[in-house]
Amino acid sequence: EDKVVQSPLSLVVHEGDTVTLNCSYEVTNFRSLLWYKQEKKAPTFLFMLTSSGIEKKSGRLSSILDKKELFSILNITATQTGDSAVYLCGGSNYKLTFGKGTLLTVNP
Amino acid sequence: DAGVIQSPRHEVTEMGQEVTLRCKPISGHDYLFWYRQTMMRGLELLIYFNNNVPIDDSGMPEDRFSAKMPNASFSTLKIQPSEPRDSAVYFCASSFGTSGSGDQETQYFGPGTRLLVL
C-alpha cells in the first residue's frame, strides 16, 4: 500500500522565521511529488517535483526532491501570517496518495 | 477558466437518504478524481477516471458509494444509503494526466462539498 508521511504534524512559529516541512514517501511506480497549501477551503497547488536535486522556487517557498532517499522538503523563508495553513504532500503514480499534512501557524 | 466546479457546496441530510454530489472538471482535462477529507483520515482518494472510464475505485469505502462519469464534463458521486460516518468534505479534482510534460499531471481541486449526515 502506498504511504506518505509528513512531519511535523504541526508547527508554530513567529513571523520572519524560516520553516522546513518534511515529506517521506513509499509509492509504487512513483512519478512525481506534489505540494499543496490548504487554508479553509480546497488545496491549492504549490509545486510538482519529478527530478532529484532540482530545487523549485516560488517567491519565499522552495522545494526539493530526493528520489534516492524518498523524501522531499518544503522551505518557507521569512514567514508571514498568510502562510498559516495545512501543507499537504502527495506522491503520484497517476493517482495521488496524500500525507496527513503539516499545520503551520505563523504568529505576528 | 472557471476551475473545477462542485455542487452542492453544503449538504445536510438524514441517515438513510440518498446523496448525490456533482462535479464539472476543467475543460480539456482527461483525468477526474474524487477525494474525501476527514480529520481522522486526512485526504483520501476514492476513485479516479481517465477519459470517462473508471480506472481505480479501490478507495471507495463500500457498495453504498458509486461514481459515474457519463461525459467529459460531468461526474457524480452517489451515496445510498448515507450514514453519519460519511460526514466529510468531498473534493473533486482534475488534471491533464500523462500527455506532454510532467506538469500536466498536476491536479486542480474544486471547492468541495461539505456533507453532514445526521
Side-chain angles (χ1 to χ4, degrees), chain A residues 31-32 34 36 38 41-43 45 48 56 88 92 94-96 98 100, chain B residues 33 35 37 40-41 43 45 48 56 58 91 98 102-103 105-107 109-110:
Chain A
R31 291 179 59 86
S32 59
L34 289 90
Y36 287 81
Q38 185 175 27
K41 45 188 178 179
F45 172 75
M48 181 182 199
K56 288 208 171 181
L88 294 166
S92 175
Y94 301 139
K95 63 180 186 178
L96 271 171
F98 282 98
K100 293 288 179 65
Chain B
F33 305 81
Y35 291 90
Q37 188 173 39
M40 288 295 294
R41 300 177 66 89
L43 192 59
L45 177 68
Y48 77 97
D56 186 337
S58 59
F91 288 106
T98 60
D103 284 352
E105 294 178 38
T106 300
Q107 294 181 25
F109 283 75

PDB file of all heavy atoms in Angstrom, chain A residues 31-32 34 36 38 41-43 45 48 56 88 92 94-96 98 100, chain B residues 33 35 37 40-41 43 45 48 56 58 91 98 102-103 105-107 109-110:
ATOM      1  N   ARG A  31       5.943   8.634  -9.780  1.00  0.00           N
ATOM      2  CA  ARG A  31       6.168   9.542 -10.908  1.00  0.00           C
ATOM      3  C   ARG A  31       6.542  10.941 -10.442  1.00  0.00           C
ATOM      4  O   ARG A  31       7.395  11.593 -11.045  1.00  0.00           O
ATOM      5  CB  ARG A  31       4.919   9.619 -11.789  1.00  0.00           C
ATOM      6  CG  ARG A  31       4.615   8.339 -12.545  1.00  0.00           C
ATOM      7  CD  ARG A  31       3.353   8.503 -13.370  1.00  0.00           C
ATOM      8  NE  ARG A  31       3.453   9.588 -14.323  1.00  0.00           N
ATOM      9  CZ  ARG A  31       3.970   9.459 -15.547  1.00  0.00           C
ATOM     10  NH1 ARG A  31       4.438   8.293 -15.944  1.00  0.00           N
ATOM     11  NH2 ARG A  31       4.002  10.481 -16.368  1.00  0.00           N
ATOM     12  N   SER A  32       5.851  11.433  -9.416  1.00  0.00           N
ATOM     13  CA  SER A  32       6.103  12.810  -9.010  1.00  0.00           C
ATOM     14  C   SER A  32       5.631  13.040  -7.581  1.00  0.00           C
ATOM     15  O   SER A  32       4.854  12.258  -7.024  1.00  0.00           O
ATOM     16  CB  SER A  32       5.397  13.786  -9.958  1.00  0.00           C
ATOM     17  OG  SER A  32       3.997  13.542  -9.952  1.00  0.00           O
ATOM     18  N   LEU A  34       3.991  16.092  -5.170  1.00  0.00           N
ATOM     19  CA  LEU A  34       3.303  17.375  -5.255  1.00  0.00           C
ATOM     20  C   LEU A  34       3.093  17.962  -3.862  1.00  0.00           C
ATOM     21  O   LEU A  34       2.821  17.246  -2.907  1.00  0.00           O
ATOM     22  CB  LEU A  34       1.955  17.217  -5.951  1.00  0.00           C
ATOM     23  CG  LEU A  34       2.009  16.941  -7.449  1.00  0.00           C
ATOM     24  CD1 LEU A  34       2.060  15.462  -7.753  1.00  0.00           C
ATOM     25  CD2 LEU A  34       0.807  17.563  -8.154  1.00  0.00           C
ATOM     26  N   TYR A  36       0.805  20.917  -1.821  1.00  0.00           N
ATOM     27  CA  TYR A  36      -0.377  21.773  -1.868  1.00  0.00           C
ATOM     28  C   TYR A  36      -0.476  22.552  -0.548  1.00  0.00           C
ATOM     29  O   TYR A  36      -0.049  22.081   0.505  1.00  0.00           O
ATOM     30  CB  TYR A  36      -1.654  20.943  -2.021  1.00  0.00           C
ATOM     31  CG  TYR A  36      -1.861  20.332  -3.384  1.00  0.00           C
ATOM     32  CD1 TYR A  36      -1.216  19.161  -3.752  1.00  0.00           C
ATOM     33  CD2 TYR A  36      -2.709  20.942  -4.311  1.00  0.00           C
ATOM     34  CE1 TYR A  36      -1.415  18.598  -5.010  1.00  0.00           C
ATOM     35  CE2 TYR A  36      -2.917  20.385  -5.563  1.00  0.00           C
ATOM     36  CZ  TYR A  36      -2.262  19.210  -5.903  1.00  0.00           C
ATOM     37  OH  TYR A  36      -2.461  18.663  -7.140  1.00  0.00           O
ATOM     38  N   GLN A  38      -3.394  24.217   1.924  1.00  0.00           N
ATOM     39  CA  GLN A  38      -4.828  24.207   2.167  1.00  0.00           C
ATOM     40  C   GLN A  38      -5.171  25.118   3.338  1.00  0.00           C
ATOM     41  O   GLN A  38      -4.763  24.862   4.462  1.00  0.00           O
ATOM     42  CB  GLN A  38      -5.336  22.787   2.433  1.00  0.00           C
ATOM     43  CG  GLN A  38      -6.850  22.725   2.569  1.00  0.00           C
ATOM     44  CD  GLN A  38      -7.388  21.312   2.709  1.00  0.00           C
ATOM     45  OE1 GLN A  38      -6.700  20.419   3.183  1.00  0.00           O
ATOM     46  NE2 GLN A  38      -8.627  21.104   2.286  1.00  0.00           N
ATOM     47  N   LYS A  41     -10.330  25.829   2.761  1.00  0.00           N
ATOM     48  CA  LYS A  41     -11.021  25.537   1.513  1.00  0.00           C
ATOM     49  C   LYS A  41     -10.254  24.439   0.789  1.00  0.00           C
ATOM     50  O   LYS A  41      -9.627  23.611   1.427  1.00  0.00           O
ATOM     51  CB  LYS A  41     -11.112  26.796   0.667  1.00  0.00           C
ATOM     52  CG  LYS A  41      -9.806  27.583   0.591  1.00  0.00           C
ATOM     53  CD  LYS A  41      -9.965  28.930  -0.080  1.00  0.00           C
ATOM     54  CE  LYS A  41      -8.652  29.695  -0.092  1.00  0.00           C
ATOM     55  NZ  LYS A  41      -8.747  31.002  -0.745  1.00  0.00           N
ATOM     56  N   ALA A  42     -10.309  24.458  -0.531  1.00  0.00           N
ATOM     57  CA  ALA A  42      -9.681  23.393  -1.308  1.00  0.00           C
ATOM     58  C   ALA A  42      -8.159  23.536  -1.333  1.00  0.00           C
ATOM     59  O   ALA A  42      -7.622  24.642  -1.242  1.00  0.00           O
ATOM     60  CB  ALA A  42     -10.218  23.423  -2.732  1.00  0.00           C
ATOM     61  N   PRO A  43      -7.454  22.422  -1.469  1.00  0.00           N
ATOM     62  CA  PRO A  43      -5.994  22.503  -1.637  1.00  0.00           C
ATOM     63  C   PRO A  43      -5.637  23.269  -2.907  1.00  0.00           C
ATOM     64  O   PRO A  43      -6.260  23.078  -3.957  1.00  0.00           O
ATOM     65  CB  PRO A  43      -5.579  21.027  -1.750  1.00  0.00           C
ATOM     66  CG  PRO A  43      -6.689  20.245  -1.130  1.00  0.00           C
ATOM     67  CD  PRO A  43      -7.930  21.035  -1.416  1.00  0.00           C
ATOM     68  N   PHE A  45      -2.420  24.251  -5.501  1.00  0.00           N
ATOM     69  CA  PHE A  45      -1.158  23.676  -5.950  1.00  0.00           C
ATOM     70  C   PHE A  45       0.004  24.608  -5.675  1.00  0.00           C
ATOM     71  O   PHE A  45      -0.073  25.818  -5.901  1.00  0.00           O
ATOM     72  CB  PHE A  45      -1.267  23.391  -7.450  1.00  0.00           C
ATOM     73  CG  PHE A  45       0.014  22.972  -8.093  1.00  0.00           C
ATOM     74  CD1 PHE A  45       0.523  21.705  -7.899  1.00  0.00           C
ATOM     75  CD2 PHE A  45       0.714  23.851  -8.907  1.00  0.00           C
ATOM     76  CE1 PHE A  45       1.716  21.314  -8.491  1.00  0.00           C
ATOM     77  CE2 PHE A  45       1.894  23.476  -9.508  1.00  0.00           C
ATOM     78  CZ  PHE A  45       2.393  22.207  -9.306  1.00  0.00           C
ATOM     79  N   MET A  48       5.283  20.800  -8.182  1.00  0.00           N
ATOM     80  CA  MET A  48       5.365  19.414  -8.622  1.00  0.00           C
ATOM     81  C   MET A  48       6.834  19.110  -8.871  1.00  0.00           C
ATOM     82  O   MET A  48       7.511  19.867  -9.583  1.00  0.00           O
ATOM     83  CB  MET A  48       4.566  19.203  -9.890  1.00  0.00           C
ATOM     84  CG  MET A  48       4.602  17.777 -10.375  1.00  0.00           C
ATOM     85  SD  MET A  48       3.675  17.640 -11.899  1.00  0.00           S
ATOM     86  CE  MET A  48       3.392  15.892 -11.933  1.00  0.00           C
ATOM     87  N   LYS A  56      12.814  23.759  -6.825  1.00  0.00           N
ATOM     88  CA  LYS A  56      11.794  24.617  -7.436  1.00  0.00           C
ATOM     89  C   LYS A  56      11.503  25.747  -6.453  1.00  0.00           C
ATOM     90  O   LYS A  56      11.408  25.521  -5.245  1.00  0.00           O
ATOM     91  CB  LYS A  56      10.529  23.822  -7.745  1.00  0.00           C
ATOM     92  CG  LYS A  56      10.703  22.856  -8.909  1.00  0.00           C
ATOM     93  CD  LYS A  56       9.401  22.622  -9.618  1.00  0.00           C
ATOM     94  CE  LYS A  56       9.611  21.834 -10.891  1.00  0.00           C
ATOM     95  NZ  LYS A  56       8.362  21.598 -11.628  1.00  0.00           N
ATOM     96  N   LEU A  88       0.071  20.065   2.412  1.00  0.00           N
ATOM     97  CA  LEU A  88      -0.109  18.660   2.062  1.00  0.00           C
ATOM     98  C   LEU A  88       0.935  18.234   1.042  1.00  0.00           C
ATOM     99  O   LEU A  88       1.224  18.965   0.087  1.00  0.00           O
ATOM    100  CB  LEU A  88      -1.497  18.437   1.466  1.00  0.00           C
ATOM    101  CG  LEU A  88      -2.684  18.649   2.408  1.00  0.00           C
ATOM    102  CD1 LEU A  88      -3.979  18.745   1.600  1.00  0.00           C
ATOM    103  CD2 LEU A  88      -2.777  17.522   3.408  1.00  0.00           C
ATOM    104  N   SER A  92       2.644  10.703  -6.355  1.00  0.00           N
ATOM    105  CA  SER A  92       1.796  10.392  -7.507  1.00  0.00           C
ATOM    106  C   SER A  92       2.343   9.250  -8.349  1.00  0.00           C
ATOM    107  O   SER A  92       3.531   9.215  -8.678  1.00  0.00           O
ATOM    108  CB  SER A  92       1.658  11.639  -8.390  1.00  0.00           C
ATOM    109  OG  SER A  92       0.945  11.325  -9.567  1.00  0.00           O
ATOM    110  N   TYR A  94       0.101   8.558 -11.029  1.00  0.00           N
ATOM    111  CA  TYR A  94      -1.129   9.000 -11.680  1.00  0.00           C
ATOM    112  C   TYR A  94      -2.186   9.318 -10.634  1.00  0.00           C
ATOM    113  O   TYR A  94      -2.861  10.326 -10.726  1.00  0.00           O
ATOM    114  CB  TYR A  94      -1.689   7.997 -12.681  1.00  0.00           C
ATOM    115  CG  TYR A  94      -0.730   7.655 -13.795  1.00  0.00           C
ATOM    116  CD1 TYR A  94      -0.599   6.356 -14.237  1.00  0.00           C
ATOM    117  CD2 TYR A  94       0.051   8.638 -14.390  1.00  0.00           C
ATOM    118  CE1 TYR A  94       0.278   6.026 -15.254  1.00  0.00           C
ATOM    119  CE2 TYR A  94       0.942   8.325 -15.404  1.00  0.00           C
ATOM    120  CZ  TYR A  94       1.057   7.009 -15.836  1.00  0.00           C
ATOM    121  OH  TYR A  94       1.925   6.695 -16.831  1.00  0.00           O
ATOM    122  N   LYS A  95      -2.343   8.468  -9.632  1.00  0.00           N
ATOM    123  CA  LYS A  95      -3.218   8.851  -8.528  1.00  0.00           C
ATOM    124  C   LYS A  95      -2.359   9.337  -7.377  1.00  0.00           C
ATOM    125  O   LYS A  95      -1.220   8.921  -7.212  1.00  0.00           O
ATOM    126  CB  LYS A  95      -4.101   7.689  -8.098  1.00  0.00           C
ATOM    127  CG  LYS A  95      -3.366   6.498  -7.552  1.00  0.00           C
ATOM    128  CD  LYS A  95      -4.366   5.414  -7.151  1.00  0.00           C
ATOM    129  CE  LYS A  95      -3.666   4.271  -6.457  1.00  0.00           C
ATOM    130  NZ  LYS A  95      -4.609   3.227  -6.020  1.00  0.00           N
ATOM    131  N   LEU A  96      -2.924  10.252  -6.594  1.00  0.00           N
ATOM    132  CA  LEU A  96      -2.175  10.872  -5.504  1.00  0.00           C
ATOM    133  C   LEU A  96      -2.485  10.207  -4.168  1.00  0.00           C
ATOM    134  O   LEU A  96      -3.648  10.018  -3.824  1.00  0.00           O
ATOM    135  CB  LEU A  96      -2.539  12.359  -5.385  1.00  0.00           C
ATOM    136  CG  LEU A  96      -1.740  13.348  -6.210  1.00  0.00           C
ATOM    137  CD1 LEU A  96      -2.390  14.731  -6.140  1.00  0.00           C
ATOM    138  CD2 LEU A  96      -0.311  13.421  -5.734  1.00  0.00           C
ATOM    139  N   PHE A  98      -1.897  11.130  -0.328  1.00  0.00           N
ATOM    140  CA  PHE A  98      -1.511  12.273   0.470  1.00  0.00           C
ATOM    141  C   PHE A  98      -1.064  11.872   1.865  1.00  0.00           C
ATOM    142  O   PHE A  98      -1.547  10.884   2.440  1.00  0.00           O
ATOM    143  CB  PHE A  98      -2.682  13.249   0.619  1.00  0.00           C
ATOM    144  CG  PHE A  98      -2.923  14.108  -0.590  1.00  0.00           C
ATOM    145  CD1 PHE A  98      -3.895  13.776  -1.510  1.00  0.00           C
ATOM    146  CD2 PHE A  98      -2.167  15.263  -0.795  1.00  0.00           C
ATOM    147  CE1 PHE A  98      -4.125  14.574  -2.627  1.00  0.00           C
ATOM    148  CE2 PHE A  98      -2.390  16.063  -1.899  1.00  0.00           C
ATOM    149  CZ  PHE A  98      -3.370  15.717  -2.813  1.00  0.00           C
ATOM    150  N   LYS A 100      -0.880  13.247   5.969  1.00  0.00           N
ATOM    151  CA  LYS A 100      -1.889  13.871   6.835  1.00  0.00           C
ATOM    152  C   LYS A 100      -1.743  15.394   6.886  1.00  0.00           C
ATOM    153  O   LYS A 100      -2.633  16.082   7.372  1.00  0.00           O
ATOM    154  CB  LYS A 100      -1.791  13.311   8.256  1.00  0.00           C
ATOM    155  CG  LYS A 100      -2.170  11.839   8.358  1.00  0.00           C
ATOM    156  CD  LYS A 100      -3.650  11.635   8.188  1.00  0.00           C
ATOM    157  CE  LYS A 100      -4.065  10.180   8.258  1.00  0.00           C
ATOM    158  NZ  LYS A 100      -3.847   9.584   9.562  1.00  0.00           N
TER     159      LYS A 100
ATOM    160  N   PHE B  33     -10.766  13.019 -10.418  1.00  0.00           N
ATOM    161  CA  PHE B  33     -10.533  12.317  -9.162  1.00  0.00           C
ATOM    162  C   PHE B  33     -11.598  12.732  -8.159  1.00  0.00           C
ATOM    163  O   PHE B  33     -11.947  13.907  -8.048  1.00  0.00           O
ATOM    164  CB  PHE B  33      -9.155  12.681  -8.595  1.00  0.00           C
ATOM    165  CG  PHE B  33      -8.014  12.437  -9.548  1.00  0.00           C
ATOM    166  CD1 PHE B  33      -7.699  13.350 -10.541  1.00  0.00           C
ATOM    167  CD2 PHE B  33      -7.237  11.298  -9.430  1.00  0.00           C
ATOM    168  CE1 PHE B  33      -6.648  13.138 -11.416  1.00  0.00           C
ATOM    169  CE2 PHE B  33      -6.177  11.067 -10.300  1.00  0.00           C
ATOM    170  CZ  PHE B  33      -5.882  11.985 -11.294  1.00  0.00           C
ATOM    171  N   TYR B  35     -12.096  12.725  -3.971  1.00  0.00           N
ATOM    172  CA  TYR B  35     -11.430  12.557  -2.683  1.00  0.00           C
ATOM    173  C   TYR B  35     -12.426  12.810  -1.549  1.00  0.00           C
ATOM    174  O   TYR B  35     -13.406  13.527  -1.704  1.00  0.00           O
ATOM    175  CB  TYR B  35     -10.295  13.570  -2.512  1.00  0.00           C
ATOM    176  CG  TYR B  35      -9.106  13.378  -3.405  1.00  0.00           C
ATOM    177  CD1 TYR B  35      -9.051  13.987  -4.659  1.00  0.00           C
ATOM    178  CD2 TYR B  35      -8.015  12.618  -2.990  1.00  0.00           C
ATOM    179  CE1 TYR B  35      -7.937  13.824  -5.479  1.00  0.00           C
ATOM    180  CE2 TYR B  35      -6.903  12.459  -3.809  1.00  0.00           C
ATOM    181  CZ  TYR B  35      -6.874  13.062  -5.045  1.00  0.00           C
ATOM    182  OH  TYR B  35      -5.773  12.897  -5.849  1.00  0.00           O
ATOM    183  N   GLN B  37     -12.188  14.024   2.620  1.00  0.00           N
ATOM    184  CA  GLN B  37     -11.290  14.534   3.650  1.00  0.00           C
ATOM    185  C   GLN B  37     -11.988  14.578   4.995  1.00  0.00           C
ATOM    186  O   GLN B  37     -13.055  15.178   5.144  1.00  0.00           O
ATOM    187  CB  GLN B  37     -10.765  15.927   3.304  1.00  0.00           C
ATOM    188  CG  GLN B  37      -9.682  16.426   4.251  1.00  0.00           C
ATOM    189  CD  GLN B  37      -9.053  17.727   3.802  1.00  0.00           C
ATOM    190  OE1 GLN B  37      -9.724  18.622   3.306  1.00  0.00           O
ATOM    191  NE2 GLN B  37      -7.735  17.842   3.955  1.00  0.00           N
ATOM    192  N   MET B  40      -9.817  12.634  10.868  1.00  0.00           N
ATOM    193  CA  MET B  40      -9.171  11.395  11.298  1.00  0.00           C
ATOM    194  C   MET B  40      -8.305  10.777  10.195  1.00  0.00           C
ATOM    195  O   MET B  40      -7.208  10.306  10.460  1.00  0.00           O
ATOM    196  CB  MET B  40     -10.240  10.376  11.723  1.00  0.00           C
ATOM    197  CG  MET B  40     -10.919  10.708  13.016  1.00  0.00           C
ATOM    198  SD  MET B  40      -9.770  10.650  14.400  1.00  0.00           S
ATOM    199  CE  MET B  40      -9.370   8.914  14.428  1.00  0.00           C
ATOM    200  N   ARG B  41      -8.792  10.795   8.978  1.00  0.00           N
ATOM    201  CA  ARG B  41      -8.131  10.038   7.911  1.00  0.00           C
ATOM    202  C   ARG B  41      -7.426  10.915   6.884  1.00  0.00           C
ATOM    203  O   ARG B  41      -6.753  10.406   5.985  1.00  0.00           O
ATOM    204  CB  ARG B  41      -9.153   9.138   7.220  1.00  0.00           C
ATOM    205  CG  ARG B  41      -9.797   8.135   8.164  1.00  0.00           C
ATOM    206  CD  ARG B  41     -10.854   7.315   7.447  1.00  0.00           C
ATOM    207  NE  ARG B  41     -10.259   6.456   6.432  1.00  0.00           N
ATOM    208  CZ  ARG B  41      -9.820   5.223   6.651  1.00  0.00           C
ATOM    209  NH1 ARG B  41      -9.919   4.699   7.855  1.00  0.00           N
ATOM    210  NH2 ARG B  41      -9.299   4.510   5.667  1.00  0.00           N
ATOM    211  N   LEU B  43      -6.867  13.307   3.646  1.00  0.00           N
ATOM    212  CA  LEU B  43      -7.392  13.376   2.291  1.00  0.00           C
ATOM    213  C   LEU B  43      -7.168  12.026   1.612  1.00  0.00           C
ATOM    214  O   LEU B  43      -6.032  11.613   1.406  1.00  0.00           O
ATOM    215  CB  LEU B  43      -6.667  14.495   1.537  1.00  0.00           C
ATOM    216  CG  LEU B  43      -7.198  14.964   0.201  1.00  0.00           C
ATOM    217  CD1 LEU B  43      -8.616  15.478   0.326  1.00  0.00           C
ATOM    218  CD2 LEU B  43      -6.293  16.057  -0.354  1.00  0.00           C
ATOM    219  N   LEU B  45      -8.097   9.322  -1.601  1.00  0.00           N
ATOM    220  CA  LEU B  45      -8.629   9.138  -2.943  1.00  0.00           C
ATOM    221  C   LEU B  45      -9.702   8.052  -2.923  1.00  0.00           C
ATOM    222  O   LEU B  45      -9.476   6.956  -2.407  1.00  0.00           O
ATOM    223  CB  LEU B  45      -7.514   8.736  -3.904  1.00  0.00           C
ATOM    224  CG  LEU B  45      -7.938   8.444  -5.329  1.00  0.00           C
ATOM    225  CD1 LEU B  45      -8.417   9.722  -6.030  1.00  0.00           C
ATOM    226  CD2 LEU B  45      -6.782   7.824  -6.117  1.00  0.00           C
ATOM    227  N   TYR B  48     -10.816   7.320  -9.434  1.00  0.00           N
ATOM    228  CA  TYR B  48     -10.463   8.257 -10.485  1.00  0.00           C
ATOM    229  C   TYR B  48     -10.799   7.692 -11.845  1.00  0.00           C
ATOM    230  O   TYR B  48     -10.850   6.479 -12.049  1.00  0.00           O
ATOM    231  CB  TYR B  48      -9.016   8.735 -10.383  1.00  0.00           C
ATOM    232  CG  TYR B  48      -7.935   7.794 -10.852  1.00  0.00           C
ATOM    233  CD1 TYR B  48      -7.391   7.910 -12.127  1.00  0.00           C
ATOM    234  CD2 TYR B  48      -7.401   6.846  -9.994  1.00  0.00           C
ATOM    235  CE1 TYR B  48      -6.362   7.079 -12.540  1.00  0.00           C
ATOM    236  CE2 TYR B  48      -6.375   6.012 -10.406  1.00  0.00           C
ATOM    237  CZ  TYR B  48      -5.850   6.133 -11.669  1.00  0.00           C
ATOM    238  OH  TYR B  48      -4.826   5.318 -12.076  1.00  0.00           O
ATOM    239  N   ASP B  56      -9.515   3.236 -11.184  1.00  0.00           N
ATOM    240  CA  ASP B  56      -9.186   2.655  -9.890  1.00  0.00           C
ATOM    241  C   ASP B  56     -10.234   3.110  -8.883  1.00  0.00           C
ATOM    242  O   ASP B  56     -10.326   4.299  -8.589  1.00  0.00           O
ATOM    243  CB  ASP B  56      -7.791   3.094  -9.447  1.00  0.00           C
ATOM    244  CG  ASP B  56      -7.325   2.407  -8.179  1.00  0.00           C
ATOM    245  OD1 ASP B  56      -8.166   1.925  -7.390  1.00  0.00           O
ATOM    246  OD2 ASP B  56      -6.100   2.361  -7.953  1.00  0.00           O
ATOM    247  N   SER B  58     -10.478   1.477  -5.860  1.00  0.00           N
ATOM    248  CA  SER B  58     -10.104   0.739  -4.651  1.00  0.00           C
ATOM    249  C   SER B  58     -10.300   1.549  -3.376  1.00  0.00           C
ATOM    250  O   SER B  58     -10.357   0.991  -2.286  1.00  0.00           O
ATOM    251  CB  SER B  58      -8.654   0.258  -4.743  1.00  0.00           C
ATOM    252  OG  SER B  58      -7.781   1.355  -4.917  1.00  0.00           O
ATOM    253  N   PHE B  91     -14.019  16.268  -2.210  1.00  0.00           N
ATOM    254  CA  PHE B  91     -13.394  17.097  -3.243  1.00  0.00           C
ATOM    255  C   PHE B  91     -13.366  16.338  -4.570  1.00  0.00           C
ATOM    256  O   PHE B  91     -13.143  15.129  -4.612  1.00  0.00           O
ATOM    257  CB  PHE B  91     -11.954  17.443  -2.870  1.00  0.00           C
ATOM    258  CG  PHE B  91     -11.814  18.434  -1.751  1.00  0.00           C
ATOM    259  CD1 PHE B  91     -11.417  18.033  -0.488  1.00  0.00           C
ATOM    260  CD2 PHE B  91     -12.058  19.782  -1.969  1.00  0.00           C
ATOM    261  CE1 PHE B  91     -11.274  18.936   0.545  1.00  0.00           C
ATOM    262  CE2 PHE B  91     -11.919  20.700  -0.944  1.00  0.00           C
ATOM    263  CZ  PHE B  91     -11.537  20.275   0.317  1.00  0.00           C
ATOM    264  N   THR B  98      -1.241  12.327 -18.395  1.00  0.00           N
ATOM    265  CA  THR B  98       0.130  11.970 -18.721  1.00  0.00           C
ATOM    266  C   THR B  98       0.605  12.507 -20.057  1.00  0.00           C
ATOM    267  O   THR B  98       1.735  12.320 -20.421  1.00  0.00           O
ATOM    268  CB  THR B  98       0.291  10.449 -18.770  1.00  0.00           C
ATOM    269  OG1 THR B  98      -0.601   9.940 -19.776  1.00  0.00           O
ATOM    270  CG2 THR B  98      -0.091   9.843 -17.442  1.00  0.00           C
ATOM    271  N   GLY B 102       5.441  16.613 -17.547  1.00  0.00           N
ATOM    272  CA  GLY B 102       5.011  16.097 -16.258  1.00  0.00           C
ATOM    273  C   GLY B 102       4.103  17.047 -15.523  1.00  0.00           C
ATOM    274  O   GLY B 102       3.237  16.628 -14.768  1.00  0.00           O
ATOM    275  N   ASP B 103       4.289  18.354 -15.741  1.00  0.00           N
ATOM    276  CA  ASP B 103       3.453  19.322 -15.040  1.00  0.00           C
ATOM    277  C   ASP B 103       1.976  19.145 -15.355  1.00  0.00           C
ATOM    278  O   ASP B 103       1.122  19.608 -14.618  1.00  0.00           O
ATOM    279  CB  ASP B 103       3.875  20.749 -15.387  1.00  0.00           C
ATOM    280  CG  ASP B 103       5.146  21.140 -14.659  1.00  0.00           C
ATOM    281  OD1 ASP B 103       5.592  20.369 -13.802  1.00  0.00           O
ATOM    282  OD2 ASP B 103       5.689  22.207 -14.953  1.00  0.00           O
ATOM    283  N   GLU B 105       0.351  16.652 -15.037  1.00  0.00           N
ATOM    284  CA  GLU B 105      -0.278  15.747 -14.090  1.00  0.00           C
ATOM    285  C   GLU B 105      -0.778  16.468 -12.851  1.00  0.00           C
ATOM    286  O   GLU B 105      -1.414  15.862 -12.007  1.00  0.00           O
ATOM    287  CB  GLU B 105       0.710  14.652 -13.676  1.00  0.00           C
ATOM    288  CG  GLU B 105       1.078  13.720 -14.808  1.00  0.00           C
ATOM    289  CD  GLU B 105       2.091  12.684 -14.370  1.00  0.00           C
ATOM    290  OE1 GLU B 105       1.989  12.207 -13.241  1.00  0.00           O
ATOM    291  OE2 GLU B 105       2.984  12.365 -15.164  1.00  0.00           O
ATOM    292  N   THR B 106      -0.474  17.741 -12.734  1.00  0.00           N
ATOM    293  CA  THR B 106      -0.918  18.498 -11.578  1.00  0.00           C
ATOM    294  C   THR B 106      -2.435  18.458 -11.476  1.00  0.00           C
ATOM    295  O   THR B 106      -3.142  18.729 -12.443  1.00  0.00           O
ATOM    296  CB  THR B 106      -0.458  19.956 -11.683  1.00  0.00           C
ATOM    297  OG1 THR B 106       0.969  19.979 -11.736  1.00  0.00           O
ATOM    298  CG2 THR B 106      -0.945  20.765 -10.499  1.00  0.00           C
ATOM    299  N   GLN B 107      -2.925  18.140 -10.296  1.00  0.00           N
ATOM    300  CA  GLN B 107      -4.361  18.080 -10.078  1.00  0.00           C
ATOM    301  C   GLN B 107      -4.858  19.403  -9.498  1.00  0.00           C
ATOM    302  O   GLN B 107      -4.253  19.956  -8.592  1.00  0.00           O
ATOM    303  CB  GLN B 107      -4.705  16.944  -9.112  1.00  0.00           C
ATOM    304  CG  GLN B 107      -4.405  15.565  -9.668  1.00  0.00           C
ATOM    305  CD  GLN B 107      -4.779  14.464  -8.716  1.00  0.00           C
ATOM    306  OE1 GLN B 107      -5.648  14.615  -7.856  1.00  0.00           O
ATOM    307  NE2 GLN B 107      -4.133  13.316  -8.862  1.00  0.00           N
ATOM    308  N   PHE B 109      -8.068  21.232  -7.666  1.00  0.00           N
ATOM    309  CA  PHE B 109      -9.190  20.836  -6.828  1.00  0.00           C
ATOM    310  C   PHE B 109     -10.354  21.812  -6.935  1.00  0.00           C
ATOM    311  O   PHE B 109     -10.163  23.024  -7.063  1.00  0.00           O
ATOM    312  CB  PHE B 109      -8.751  20.769  -5.362  1.00  0.00           C
ATOM    313  CG  PHE B 109      -7.963  19.538  -5.020  1.00  0.00           C
ATOM    314  CD1 PHE B 109      -6.645  19.412  -5.427  1.00  0.00           C
ATOM    315  CD2 PHE B 109      -8.536  18.505  -4.313  1.00  0.00           C
ATOM    316  CE1 PHE B 109      -5.916  18.275  -5.126  1.00  0.00           C
ATOM    317  CE2 PHE B 109      -7.822  17.359  -3.996  1.00  0.00           C
ATOM    318  CZ  PHE B 109      -6.498  17.249  -4.410  1.00  0.00           C
ATOM    319  N   GLY B 110     -11.552  21.257  -6.849  1.00  0.00           N
ATOM    320  CA  GLY B 110     -12.742  22.068  -6.710  1.00  0.00           C
ATOM    321  C   GLY B 110     -12.893  22.531  -5.275  1.00  0.00           C
ATOM    322  O   GLY B 110     -12.120  22.144  -4.395  1.00  0.00           O
TER     323      GLY B 110
END
